[in-house]
Structure formats: C-alpha cells, structure tokens
C-alpha cells in the first residue's frame, strides 16, 4: 500500500494508471461470473490475493483501516482476450450497523498490446465515491457513511496491489476539490 498525501481525501479527484508488466499470471476467466458480477466481487474482494490483482485504490480509510472503501481491478484471461473485473466494495465502508453495503462490479475487455495501461478515475465527495474504469467502460457510483467522517478523525487514501504479480503505477494525479458555492435566496 502506498499512501496518497497532499490532497483533501474527503473531496478529491484521483486519476491513476496501472501498468501490468505481464499478463501471464492472470487467473482463468469463468463466463458464468458475468451473470452475477456483484457476487463475484464479494468473493474476489480486495484482500483476497490473485495472480494479477486485486490492485486499485482505497479511499475514505480510517487510521486503523477498520473503515475503508476499496475500488479495485482483477485481470483474467479467457480464450482470446483478457477480461478485467472492476469492483467497488462497500462492505467495510462504515462501522455503523444497518447500512446497505454491497459490492458492485462490472467486466470489460482489455488488450495489453494496444492499451498498455488500465485507468481508474475516482471522485470522492465526502460520502459519494464515483469511479470510472478503463476510460469509462465501467462506472460505479456509491454512497458510503464512514464514522471517521462524522468523528472528524480524517481519512486516508492509498494505491495498492494485493496480487502476486507486480503492477506499476505509471501515473497518479490527485486534486483537492473545493466545496460548491450555492446561492440560496433567503426569504
């Protein structure tokens, strides 16, 4: 894990490009996963090591990592191409009980020879986490309610790779977003 510092982690725009050196260690793709991508995201979560992934971004993380939201990729090989699974896992996003905290996901095809890099853009606005993978081929918007935000303990953001294959971060840009100026007439 590599901490991303120098940005307001509660309101940020993060662009990151991952560059796998090789696709040889990618796990085999099972087409039945397309029928229930969310279930597969729950089973192949960000902490479960694989051949090529999971790698991605952890946002709105508490100091002890008890709370965090992971947005990550896994690369799979099928007969003629590579499939990338992008997940946004909310199951550890809050210590509050009774919240709906699913794992969302989607697959897209990837050609390493042509594309070379897997892009991820994530917009964080306090309780909103909106992510675009592969240049927008998969888009996931989620609402999260971490206790760390309410308690004003701050939050951390990390780039990570929990796979057995090295993945280089070839580009990382992060900006703090300003609060919206809303004109409200009193009256």
């Amino acid at each position: 894990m590599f901490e991303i510092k120098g940005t307001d982690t509660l309101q940020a725009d993060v662009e990151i490009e991952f560059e796998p050196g090789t696709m040889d260690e990618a796990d085999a793709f099972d087409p039945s996963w397309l029928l229930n991508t969310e279930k597969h995201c729950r089973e192949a979560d960000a902490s479960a090591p694989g051949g090529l992934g999971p790698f991605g971004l952890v946002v709105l993380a508490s100091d002890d990592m008890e709370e965090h939201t992971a947005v990550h990729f896994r690369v799979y090989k099928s007969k003629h191409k590579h499939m990338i699974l992008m997940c946004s896992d909310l199951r550890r996003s809050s210590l509050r009980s009774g919240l709906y905290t699913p794992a969302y996901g989607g697959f897209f095809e990837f050609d390493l020879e042509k594309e070379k890099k897997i892009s991820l853009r994530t917009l964080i606005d306090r309780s909103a986490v909106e992510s675009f993978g592969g240049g927008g081929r998969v888009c996931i918007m989620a609402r999260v309610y971490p206790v760390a935000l309410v308690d004003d303990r701050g939050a951390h953001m990390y780039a990570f790779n929990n796979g057995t294959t090295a993945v280089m971060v070839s580009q990382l840009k992060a900006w703090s977003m300003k609060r919206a100026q809303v004109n409200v007439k009193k009256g």
Side-chain angles (χ1 to χ4, degrees):
M1 291 186 81
F2 171 80
E3 187 166 8
I4 301 167
K5 295 183 178 185
T7 303
D8 179 357
T9 57
L10 301 179
Q11 290 184 265
D13 182 349
V14 182
E15 291 182 14
I16 188 165
E17 288 184 347
F18 299 95
E19 193 169 345
T22 178
M23 303 292 257
D24 296 340
E25 298 301 316
D27 297 323
F29 175 71
D30 181 345
S32 71
W33 294 336
L34 294 170
L35 301 175
N36 194 341
T37 308
E38 286 76 18
K39 178 180 181 236
H40 187 61
C41 281
R42 286 189 305 272
E43 293 169 353
D45 72 10
S47 62
L52 191 46
F55 56 88
L57 196 59
V58 170
V59 300
L60 300 173
S62 60
D63 289 334
D64 58 7
M65 291 293 287
E66 288 273 328
E67 289 183 313
H68 66 274
T69 300
V71 180
H72 67 278
F73 297 112
R74 281 184 182 269
V75 179
Y76 296 99
K77 57 184 160 195
S78 65
K79 289 184 180 183
H80 304 291
K81 58 191 165 225
H82 287 90
M83 297 294 288
I84 297 182
L85 171 66
M86 180 177 143
C87 297
S88 183
D89 192 347
L90 311 185
R91 291 176 296 159
R92 293 178 186 92
S93 65
S94 182
L95 294 174
R96 296 179 195 192
S97 61
L99 294 176
Y100 180 60
T101 55
Y104 297 110
F107 281 97
F108 62 93
E109 293 180 10
F110 183 76
D111 184 348
L112 180 65
E113 297 301 317
K114 281 183 177 176
E115 300 181 67
K116 307 273 190 244
K117 301 171 186 173
I118 303 166
S119 67
L120 175 64
R121 182 175 186 189
T122 299
L123 304 168
I124 303 124
D125 191 5
R126 301 196 74 75
S127 67
V129 178
E130 190 169 9
S131 299
F132 305 88
R137 286 181 268 184
V138 173
C139 304
I140 301 172
M141 194 316 186
R143 298 289 293 194
V144 297
Y145 303 98
V147 173
L149 295 182
V150 174
D151 292 348
D152 203 26
R153 289 183 274 168
H156 301 274
M157 182 169 27
Y158 303 93
F160 75 94
N161 178 16
N162 288 334
T164 57
T165 302
V167 176
M168 185 173 77
V169 173
S170 56
Q171 179 173 290
L172 183 124
K173 297 178 184 177
W175 302 271
S176 297
M177 294 192 296
K178 294 183 179 181
R179 291 181 183 254
Q181 298 295 319
V182 179
N183 296 325
V184 178
K185 285 187 176 184
K186 293 183 180 183

